[in-house]
Amino acid sequence: MINIIRVGRERLKEAYEIVNKVDQGMNVLEWFVAEPYEEFDFWMREERGLLYLAVDEDENVGAMFFVILPGLHPDNLGYDLNMEEEQLKLCAMMDTAVVLPEFRGHHLQYEMMQHAEEDLRQLGYQYLLCTVHPENVFSRSNVMKQGYKKMLTKEKYGGFLRDIWMKDII
């Protein structure tokens, strides 16, 4: 049995090891752009990041999911969608989801996003935003199953083409 748990900054280094392992093992490099550790740490220190881990019964961590609560920070994907200031404050960015190969096949990206969505609903957020490479059929299928709608396609993250997806949870 694999459990999804929300954890604090004290487990960020452990989570980031998974990001590195998955990044190094990517077959299609354009599909995933790993942010530096400092980026995750910034959001956690500001108390504007939510970190989820997928943990098995032996406490092995097999996946991580990171949510950014950007507010009016320029990184907010809501700016790409021309959202008003009040809408921007209600945006959460479903930022990074990585699953180790030996943990794949358990729908962990979906499960972690569902846990985060419930937490975000309780915290009063309305708009969930994420980016997916247009050819990444796995992530695209995952967000579509969860009710996200493709809003636009544009270059992000230093020139990588991305679809921006949104879900209104109210």
Side-chain angles (χ1 to χ4, degrees):
M1 172 126 182
I2 299 173
N3 292 310
I4 309 300
I5 56 173
R6 185 169 146 197
V7 298
R9 186 171 171 245
E10 71 281 353
R11 306 240 356 225
L12 183 58
K13 284 191 173 141
E14 180 181 12
Y16 195 72
E17 288 175 18
I18 297 170
V19 173
N20 276 334
K21 286 179 186 172
V22 170
D23 185 40
Q24 292 168 5
M26 288 298 294
N27 292 328
V28 185
L29 298 178
E30 296 81 26
W31 283 12
F32 180 66
V33 178
E35 297 173 61
Y37 174 84
E38 294 74 22
E39 183 79 15
F40 294 104
D41 192 49
F42 165 79
W43 293 110
M44 292 298 284
R45 279 186 287 108
E46 294 288 316
E47 297 185 1
R48 291 165 54 187
L50 304 178
L51 176 60
Y52 296 84
L53 300 177
V55 182
D56 70 12
E57 54 276 345
D58 295 322
E59 295 299 313
N60 296 309
V61 179
M64 71 81 77
F65 182 62
F66 196 75
V67 178
I68 295 173
L69 309 173
L72 299 178
H73 190 280
D75 287 352
N76 191 329
L77 293 170
Y79 286 110
D80 294 303
L81 304 179
N82 298 313
M83 289 183 155
E84 301 292 327
E85 184 173 309
E86 288 309 306
Q87 292 174 302
L88 292 168
K89 293 176 185 176
L90 299 173
C91 288
M93 292 171 19
M94 311 301 260
D95 185 65
T96 301
V98 289
V99 180
L100 291 174
E102 59 270 28
F103 278 76
R104 293 184 183 150
H106 298 282
H107 312 286
L108 294 179
Q109 181 179 0
Y110 179 91
E111 294 296 329
M112 290 185 297
M113 289 180 77
Q114 287 297 297
H115 273 72
E117 182 177 320
E118 185 54 38
D119 288 348
L120 292 164
R121 187 178 286 110
Q122 290 177 14
L123 291 168
Y125 287 87
Q126 181 174 355
Y127 306 104
L128 308 183
L129 302 167
C130 66
T131 61
V132 175
H133 187 282
E135 295 172 3
N136 185 336
V137 293
F138 307 106
S139 292
R140 184 177 68 227
S141 171
N142 184 49
V143 296
M144 288 174 68
K145 279 186 213 167
Q146 295 187 61
Y148 285 75
K149 304 281 184 250
K150 185 171 118 177
M151 306 304 288
L152 63 93
T153 303
K154 71 179 291 188
E155 285 187 5
K156 300 291 290 178
Y157 318 123
F160 292 94
L161 200 60
R162 291 292 182 267
D163 293 333
I164 298 177
W165 295 76
M166 183 177 83
K167 180 178 181 179
D168 186 332
I169 59 173
I170 292 189

